[in-house]
Amino acid sequence: MLTLGVNIDHVATIRQARRTVEPDPVAAAVLAELAGADGITVHLREDRRHIQDRDVRLLRQTVRTHLNLEMAPTEEMVNIALEIKPDYVTLVPEKREEVTTEGGIDIVSNFDRFSEVVKQLQGAGIPVSWFIDAEETQIEAAAKTEAKFIELHTGKYAEAKDEASKQQELTILTKGAEQAIATGLRVNAGHGLTYWNVYPVACIPGMEELNIGHTIISRAVLVGMKRAVREMKLAMKGEV
Ligand code: PXP
């Protein structure tokens, strides 16, 4: 069954805009789960621009589904993950200047260092997912690190300007999922997915979990968190 991981980073973005205590992403996670979220995803960035260490610690205690911690494969983040023990970790590239994660991580060029990170995390019982573009060499490298999952970067699909390029990106994602599954990897996807473009990605054979944030939080500001999550679950089934 395809599952939905709700990324609540942008609840924290609103809080950090005033450096105050509201809205609390921990409360948002509770509401998302009550509305049917299958998992909660947060990205602890090096610059702490939205999610704070305190959020991850509290979420570890309150999340009833599963907690996916997105982070860069740095020593600081690995130590935090080893201490907090999320249900799985998604390793992402990170640049301080970017507005959001741009492009997948380059496992090929950092293979030895990154393999070591997988060994450390999975050795402590934390499954690892690589956030990568659907490129043959990156998928092969992900499998060689012995990570359990990949998360296919759907940004190019989401940004495609016309139907032909959208279909082209969808084919690339579908082939990437097929290749990954053939090597024993499990496949998630995310980035830039919306109520309007999610369904074709939800239909990719073997897809397990979609991690979706900005579009859900944007809708939640207007209609409330529970309704926004329920409507995304429907959109994933092609029902809205
Ligand atoms: N997956 C990963 C690895 C991400 O970095 C992000 C953005 O934080 C998402 C999914 C969610 O993307 P969006 O907010 O565009 O739905």
Side-chain angles (χ1 to χ4, degrees), residues 109-126:
S109 313
N110 299 281
F111 186 79
D112 292 341
R113 185 165 64 89
F114 284 3
S115 293
E116 203 44 50
V117 171
V118 174
K119 216 178 271 170
Q120 267 184 293
L121 292 167
Q122 293 197 160
I126 307 166

Side-chain angles (χ1 to χ4, degrees), residues 7 9 43 70 92 100-101 131 151 190-193 211-214:
N7 179 316
D9 290 351
H43 184 175
E70 290 178 4
V92 301
T100 180
T101 317
F131 182 56
E151 177 173 329
H191 209 281
L193 296 176
N211 283 306
I212 307 180
H214 189 264

Side-chain angles (χ1 to χ4, degrees), residues 6 14 33 87 109 111-112 121 134 141 148-149 164 173 178-180 195 214 231:
V6 176
I14 298 172
E33 287 187 323
D87 294 290
S109 313
F111 186 79
D112 292 341
L121 292 167
K148 301 279 184 261
F149 295 87
L173 292 169
E178 196 178 56
Q179 180 198 342
Y195 292 86
H214 189 264
E231 289 176 357

